[in-house]
């Protein structure tokens, strides 16, 4: 075993925060982050911001080397050059990563952008996924998979008009694509275009009459029309058709919550046999609506305990429950975890602002609100 001395021989309390939300305090930690999260660090590991931080913590020589690397061509060469700036990884580790980088680099640019967009989509971070998908479309504007995924992210962010426009284009390219058709129906329903949704549901039914998603979408349309009894019948039909989809059960639970039938909502939730993170998060939602904040907190903690890679919004919800339980200390602990994961998430920022207000920190509360407003304006200009 070879003993390796840390490059920094003095304590550093100035962190660098990557776009992933992960903070590092040493150059070695930065190397570790890039090695394991190179897809998410493509645009920043040799950027001006991190180079300035490396200089600030006393490594001006390394900062100069990073500037030289940034001017070079080839993504693989840049990553490997960066990781070799310190003796941190052995030859086998670097060789393994190089093989992966070369395969990734050989793929077309749009595929790389889509892959990164998919990563953030899986983490429910629409604001990060959308710009990547839009950049991917600049390389291939007729790619149905990208059009579909971008539309789904817009739909989840509440921008149904934008979602519809991309799904219409996707359907014009592949009119019989069943998955795109279903997403178009959902976007049309959420946009309030019920006639268009109904017409496309007939087409989808002709293709796959036994598909449970058709019953679900009929339920969603009734739900949006506030015809809750009809919606419940459709959702229950979807559950019977496919018992493996928890989301059908969740929507049935939402009906009971709308009708303030909390005990029935909890009974319906128990149709899900797998008690996973989603189950306990929904249970927390039920208890919260029921007015039992203590149980809501317990269920939300149960959800987080089962999550290997927690989302920032999960901690934000826990923070909100603690705030409503008047436990501002635990609320602040939870929201700090959320901010560590995703400091730019506006749901997290808004809850952070509410907690600042609850703590009587009026100036910090106002600052937080201004940051959120600025973020919305910048997002609008970008889109």
């Amino acid at each position: 075993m070879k003993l390796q001395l840390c490059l920094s021989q003095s304590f550093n309390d100035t962190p660098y925060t990557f776009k992933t939300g992960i903070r590092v305090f040493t150059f070695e930690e930065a190397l570790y982050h890039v090695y394991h999260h190179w897809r998410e660090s493509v645009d920043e590991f040799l950027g001006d911001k991190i180079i300035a931080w490396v200089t600030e913590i006393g490594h001006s020589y390394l900062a100069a080397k990073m500037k030289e690397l940034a001017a070079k061509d080839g993504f693989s060469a840049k990553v490997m050059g960066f990781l070799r700036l310190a003796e941190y990884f052995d030859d086998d580790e670097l060789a393994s990563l190089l093989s992966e980088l070369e395969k990734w680099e050989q793929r077309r640019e749009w595929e790389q952008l889509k892959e990164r967009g998919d990563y953030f989509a899986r983490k429910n971070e629409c604001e990060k996924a959308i710009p990547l998908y839009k950049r991917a479309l600049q390389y291939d504007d007729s790619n149905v998979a990208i059009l579909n995924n971008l539309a789904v992210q817009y739909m989840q962010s509440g921008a149904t008009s934008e979602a519809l426009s991309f799904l219409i284009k996707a359907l014009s390219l592949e009119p019989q694509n069943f998955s795109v058709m279903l997403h178009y129906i959902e976007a049309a329903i959420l946009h309030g275009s019920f006639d268009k949704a109904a017409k496309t549901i007939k087409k989808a039914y002709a293709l796959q009459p036994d598909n449970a998603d058709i019953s679900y979408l009929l339920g969603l349309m009734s739900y949006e029309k506030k015809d809750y009894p009809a919606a419940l019948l459709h959702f229950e039909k979807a559950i019977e058709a496919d018992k493996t989809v928890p989301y059908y059960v969740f929507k049935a639970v939402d009906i009971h919550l709308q009708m303030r039938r909390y005990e029935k909502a909890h009974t319906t939730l128990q149709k899900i046999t797998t008690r996973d993170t989603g189950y306990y998060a929904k249970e927390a939602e039920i208890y919260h609506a029921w007015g039992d904040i203590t149980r809501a907190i317990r269920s939300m903690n149960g959800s987080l305990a089962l999550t290997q890679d927690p989302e920032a919004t999960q901690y934000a919800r826990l923070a909100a429950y603690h705030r409503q339980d008047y436990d501002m200390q635990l609320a602040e602990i939870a929201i700090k975890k959320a901010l560590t994961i995703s400091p730019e998430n506006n749901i997290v920022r808004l809850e952070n602002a509410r907690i600042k207000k609850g703590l009587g920190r009026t100036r910090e509360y106002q600052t937080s609100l201004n940051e959120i407003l600025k973020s919305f304006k910048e997002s609008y200009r970008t889109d």
Side-chain angles (χ1 to χ4, degrees):
M1 294 288 291
K2 180 182 177 182
L3 181 64
Q4 292 185 341
L5 296 177
C6 182
L7 288 173
S8 299
Q9 293 299 301
S10 59
F11 180 77
N12 167 46
D13 59 0
T14 304
Y16 176 80
T17 304
F18 282 94
K19 291 179 181 178
T20 57
I22 296 173
R23 297 193 304 170
V24 297
F25 289 85
T26 66
F27 188 74
E28 286 85 354
E29 287 178 297
L31 293 175
Y32 181 89
H33 181 278
V34 173
Y35 183 90
H36 290 281
H37 300 279
W38 54 270
R39 288 182 182 85
E40 299 79 57
S41 306
V42 169
D43 299 325
E44 65 171 326
F45 77 99
L46 292 176
D48 292 339
K49 187 177 177 183
I50 191 171
I51 288 175
W53 172 76
V54 171
T55 302
E56 184 180 351
I57 63 173
H59 303 309
S60 55
Y61 172 75
L62 293 177
K65 288 292 184 181
M66 289 169 68
K67 288 181 180 179
E68 292 176 10
L69 284 171
K72 288 189 175 182
D73 294 326
F75 178 65
S76 297
K78 288 181 179 180
V79 174
M80 299 309 292
F82 176 73
L83 295 177
R84 288 192 175 106
L85 288 175
E87 293 184 7
Y88 188 73
F89 297 102
D90 62 35
D91 291 340
D92 289 340
E93 288 174 314
L94 292 175
S96 175
L97 179 62
L98 179 59
S99 176
E100 190 177 357
L101 287 170
E102 288 176 341
K103 289 177 183 177
W104 189 77
E105 197 172 17
Q106 286 169 5
R107 293 162 60 186
R108 287 181 293 179
E109 182 69 18
W110 71 263
E111 290 178 305
Q112 297 172 8
L113 290 166
K114 178 182 177 296
E115 184 176 288
R116 291 168 60 203
D118 291 345
Y119 170 83
F120 288 115
R122 287 192 296 271
K123 292 173 69 65
N124 294 319
E125 296 190 37
C126 306
E127 71 282 355
K128 293 181 180 178
I130 287 172
L132 291 167
Y133 285 137
K134 290 178 73 174
R135 284 173 57 193
L137 280 180
Q138 293 175 3
Y139 292 90
D140 187 356
D141 63 357
S142 298
N143 188 298
V144 172
I146 299 173
L147 288 166
N148 177 75
N149 292 7
L150 176 57
V152 169
Q153 293 305 295
Y154 269 122
M155 187 164 30
Q156 290 183 356
S157 67
T160 53
S161 180
E162 289 85 350
L164 278 171
S165 66
F166 287 110
L167 288 166
I168 288 169
K169 183 172 182 179
L171 280 176
S172 71
L173 296 167
E174 294 184 11
Q176 301 300 307
N177 188 314
F178 191 74
S179 179
V180 174
M181 198 177 293
L182 293 179
H183 286 141
Y184 171 81
I185 295 167
E186 185 174 4
I189 291 170
L190 295 175
H191 191 61
S193 303
F194 300 126
D195 290 341
K196 292 179 180 178
K199 189 181 296 184
T200 311
I201 284 176
K202 289 181 180 178
K203 294 180 182 179
Y205 183 82
L207 290 173
Q208 296 187 28
D210 298 325
N211 192 290
D213 277 331
I214 294 175
S215 294
Y216 160 73
L217 289 167
L218 287 168
L220 182 63
M221 185 149 58
S222 296
Y223 182 86
E224 290 297 314
K225 291 179 178 179
K226 302 190 186 307
D227 186 351
Y228 299 134
L232 186 59
L233 288 173
H234 287 303
F235 290 146
E236 288 176 344
K237 186 176 179 180
I239 293 167
E240 287 302 312
D242 190 346
K243 294 181 173 63
T244 66
V245 182
Y247 194 68
Y248 300 154
V249 177
F250 293 163
K251 292 306 292 183
V253 166
D254 289 341
I255 296 292
H256 293 301
L257 291 179
Q258 284 286 349
M259 301 173 77
R260 298 185 180 180
R261 302 194 306 208
Y262 306 119
E263 190 170 349
K264 185 65 177 175
H266 194 263
T267 301
T268 301
L269 181 66
Q270 291 175 333
K271 290 183 179 181
I272 299 175
T273 56
T274 303
R275 302 295 194 260
D276 59 7
T277 182
Y279 174 91
Y280 286 109
K282 198 66 178 180
E283 186 178 61
E285 189 179 329
I286 293 170
Y287 284 133
H288 177 252
W290 208 338
D292 193 336
I293 303 298
T294 301
R295 284 188 175 182
I297 291 170
R298 188 185 306 156
S299 295
M300 200 64 222
N301 277 320
S303 175
L304 283 162
L306 293 173
T307 307
Q308 291 185 342
D309 188 14
E311 297 172 10
T313 51
Q314 287 178 286
Y315 278 113
R317 280 183 60 189
L318 179 61
Y321 294 156
H322 281 305
R323 174 175 54 81
Q324 291 164 29
D325 198 36
Y326 303 103
D327 192 333
M328 304 309 292
Q329 183 178 359
L330 288 179
E332 191 169 31
I333 290 171
I335 204 63
K336 282 181 178 178
K337 290 180 180 178
L339 287 166
T340 298
I341 296 170
S342 185
E344 298 175 358
N345 186 303
N346 282 323
I347 293 174
V348 174
R349 283 175 164 181
L350 184 57
E351 182 54 39
N352 182 47
R354 288 170 177 153
I355 291 169
K356 299 298 184 190
K357 184 178 181 181
L359 289 166
R361 301 174 186 170
T362 306
R363 183 173 294 179
E364 292 180 51
Y365 166 69
Q366 291 293 342
T367 300
S368 297
L369 287 183
N370 289 334
E371 288 176 354
I372 294 168
L373 182 60
K374 181 181 177 182
S375 174
F376 278 128
K377 288 179 178 178
E378 289 176 351
S379 175
Y380 178 79
R381 285 196 292 268
T382 300
D383 292 342

